[in-house]
Amino acid sequence: MAELLAGGEWTGRVYSGGWIGARGGVIDSVEPATGAVLAQVGLADAEDVAAATARAAAAQPVWAETIGPTRAAVIRKAAAVLSDNRAEFERWLIREGGAVPGKAAFEVDLALGELWEAAALPTQPYGHLLPVSEPGRESVARRVPLGVVGVISPWNFPLILSMRAVAPALALGNAVVLKPDVQTAVSGGVLVARLFEEAGLPEGLLHVLPGDASPGEALVRDPHVSMISFTGSTAVGREVGATAGRTLKRVSLELGGNNALIVLDDADLEVASSAGAWGAFLHQGQVCMTAGRHIVLESVADEYLDRLAKRASMLPVGDPNTEQVALGPLINERQLSNVDRIVTETVAAGAEVRAGGTYERLFYQPTVLAGVTSSMPAFREEIFGPVAPVVVVRDADEAVAVANETEYGLVAAVQTGSVERGRDLARRLRTGIVHVNDQTLNNDAYAPFGGTGASGNGSRFGSQSSWDEFTQWQWVTYREQAHAFPF
């Protein structure tokens, strides 16, 4: 079977009514582990965005009127194409994004889940028959597509964080303009376009325009776009929200996190330290759900630190494409510099490095910091690197207070020997997601996903939530005959 990218017609181009030249030029897709150029992709500019949104707006009404089973069949076909070509997707996630093979396979599985759940949406009931206030009238509320949905996705989980908006938006009758991050423009963009092209999605309904901030801003401002779905940093999310608000667009923001893993004194510390290592170091900590603050009761803190540091010291770091490693490279030099700055400043403020704290090129060793307090950078900032800051507290009440001492509110996890204690803490944690006796990194395509505060504007992604996200209500009444009024 030929690979999806074998033909090369996509090289140096964007997908907008077919593969066309990009007004913004081209950009290299670079492998972070080696610095090798993997491909050239088209770089969109504001004019490309304007042309794409106009095409999308023209194509969308016919798609919205297409019967649900037909739309569902296209999404199912896309899932089949992904399943048949998963090795190609995984290879690009490894080489372009620095993912280890297990993470790449997991991401493809997540994307398949999003497609399967999205395929179920078009054949579900999409309205209500409402009570009437007078005889002779029928009253209906029905879900209708928004129109054109703009999706801006990041580099860390490029396939799934594109697919979780693209698939349900299309399934529910919208057109989509996707702007993937330029650092993962193939795995988060080009492959998505080829996937739906092979699935037979009608032309004009999906446009894929890799680009930087300029086309992103143009997409948010564009009058043809009814909604923006943005996943990325909190700082950029604030700008997206402000810009979208000025044009009265619907906006979905899934932003950063500074997530707490609470370890109580009755926890199984072998299991808890495993959860802590997985939550802190998976994909080099470059995940919004990373366990960024390990909040541990003082009676078990020393043992937890010892176990966590031992696990960190045994994790191999290297090129995931050529070596059997647990961690790959950070995405770029800027990210490396920021991670190292946070660690260096935290140690200067009095913390102790119990494991790691060093790097070679973009490969940062998994790091455990002891003696972290709430005034230190490793506590206050989202690190987005393989760093586990450990904060010691007296009791469960202080653990909750410390966990809530942040503007972020994405996810928290609790390790405990008592489910009831876990439930009690979950009720008091100000996050959109809580996992008891698990780690922070969880994602199900059928569960509502999202955060509060600086982490976003609510649980917006996941199966049934997609109805609220990508459609709006229309109230319609019918009379067999018109009637007169008092004047």
Side-chain angles (χ1 to χ4, degrees):
M1 176 177 26
E3 293 192 333
L4 292 176
L5 303 188
E9 69 276 7
W10 57 275
T11 300
R13 296 175 179 271
V14 295
Y15 186 70
S16 186
W19 294 99
I20 63 173
R23 294 177 176 88
V26 298
I27 190 169
D28 291 337
S29 169
V30 177
E31 184 176 35
T34 64
V37 174
L38 301 173
Q40 284 193 323
V41 298
L43 187 64
D45 67 5
E47 290 186 46
D48 290 311
V49 170
T53 59
R55 291 191 190 104
Q60 186 270 333
V62 174
W63 181 243
E65 292 300 318
T66 301
I67 61 172
T70 299
R71 283 186 270 122
V74 172
I75 305 301
R76 286 196 299 270
K77 176 63 174 176
V81 173
L82 175 54
S83 183
D84 290 343
N85 293 273
R86 65 175 300 149
E88 183 178 6
F89 281 79
E90 290 176 18
R91 185 172 69 251
W92 276 99
L93 290 166
I94 292 166
R95 299 201 65 187
E96 188 180 44
V100 298
K103 182 266 187 186
F106 176 62
E107 185 167 355
V108 171
D109 286 338
L110 290 176
L112 283 168
E114 294 291 343
L115 286 163
W116 292 328
E117 291 296 326
L121 295 172
T123 53
Q124 293 177 2
Y126 60 93
H128 305 301
L129 185 64
L130 302 175
V132 294
S133 56
E134 54 187 291
R137 185 173 74 165
E138 183 178 310
S139 182
V140 173
R142 66 177 191 140
R143 296 279 195 174
V144 297
L146 296 173
V148 178
V149 174
V151 178
I152 302 174
S153 61
W155 51 262
N156 59 327
F157 272 74
L159 178 61
I160 178 58
L161 297 182
S162 294
M163 194 66 72
R164 71 176 181 182
V166 170
L170 288 172
L172 292 171
N174 301 283
V176 174
V177 179
L178 167 65
K179 191 202 81 65
D181 193 287
V182 293
Q183 293 171 107
T184 49
V186 176
S187 48
V190 173
L191 279 168
V192 174
R194 286 290 296 121
L195 184 70
F196 283 100
E197 192 177 26
E198 286 293 304
L201 182 72
E203 189 174 288
L205 294 173
L206 175 63
H207 304 258
V208 178
L209 308 177
D212 53 19
S214 175
E217 182 179 3
L219 186 61
V220 177
R221 293 182 182 277
D222 193 281
H224 288 115
V225 176
S226 301
M227 175 192 170
I228 293 292
S229 177
F230 173 83
T231 304
S233 72
T234 297
V236 177
R238 294 185 198 277
E239 295 299 319
V240 170
T243 302
R246 285 192 289 272
T247 59
L248 301 181
K249 286 181 173 61
R250 180 177 295 185
V251 61
S252 171
L253 302 173
E254 204 275 280
L255 309 176
N258 191 3
N259 312 298
L261 172 68
I262 296 174
V263 181
L264 298 183
D265 49 6
D266 58 354
D268 181 328
L269 296 182
E270 182 65 13
V271 171
S273 62
S274 175
W278 181 261
F281 304 137
L282 179 69
H283 197 42
Q284 301 77 261
Q286 299 173 127
V287 191
C288 62
M289 296 178 285
T290 290
R293 295 174 298 151
H294 299 232
I295 301 171
V296 187
L297 268 61
E298 59 184 353
S299 61
V300 296
D302 288 342
E303 185 177 352
Y304 179 81
L305 268 164
D306 288 344
R307 291 176 182 271
L308 184 62
K310 182 178 179 181
R311 289 181 183 278
S313 66
M314 296 173 64
L315 295 174
V317 183
D319 183 347
N321 187 49
T322 60
E323 306 171 58
Q324 288 192 339
V325 296
L327 282 76
L330 296 179
I331 192 67
N332 56 36
E333 290 284 351
R334 183 177 65 180
Q335 189 65 27
L336 174 75
S337 296
N338 191 55
V339 171
D340 193 53
R341 174 192 63 79
I342 291 172
V343 171
T344 300
E345 290 179 1
T346 300
V347 172
E352 174 193 359
V353 176
R354 295 289 292 269
T358 62
Y359 64 91
E360 181 178 349
R361 303 200 315 275
L362 294 180
F363 302 101
Y364 205 95
Q365 294 293 321
T367 298
V368 176
L369 298 177
V372 175
T373 67
S374 61
S375 64
M376 296 178 180
F379 181 95
R380 297 194 313 269
E381 300 182 42
E382 182 182 27
I383 303 171
F384 232 63
V387 180
V390 177
V391 182
V392 178
V393 295
R394 293 184 303 275
D395 53 31
D397 289 337
E398 186 181 3
V400 171
V402 170
N404 287 336
E405 194 178 336
T406 177
E407 65 174 345
Y408 295 98
L410 181 54
V411 60
V414 181
Q415 288 283 324
T416 176
S418 166
V419 174
E420 284 306 313
R421 291 184 78 188
R423 284 198 184 100
D424 175 64
L425 266 64
R427 285 190 290 266
R428 297 157 60 192
L429 291 165
R430 295 196 298 268
T431 57
I433 306 166
V434 184
H435 301 296
V436 176
N437 282 334
D438 207 336
Q439 40 76 43
T440 54
L441 301 164
N442 281 281
N443 190 95
D444 290 322
Y446 43 81
F449 183 96
T452 61
S455 292
N457 56 356
S459 296
R460 313 298 290 270
F461 296 102
S463 191
Q464 294 302 308
S465 300
S466 296
W467 285 102
D468 294 325
E469 196 72 343
F470 301 112
T471 69
Q472 60 189 356
W473 285 108
Q474 183 184 52
W475 179 34
V476 185
T477 65
Y478 307 91
R479 287 181 177 275
E480 288 292 335
Q481 293 183 327
H483 67 105
F485 291 88
F487 56 88

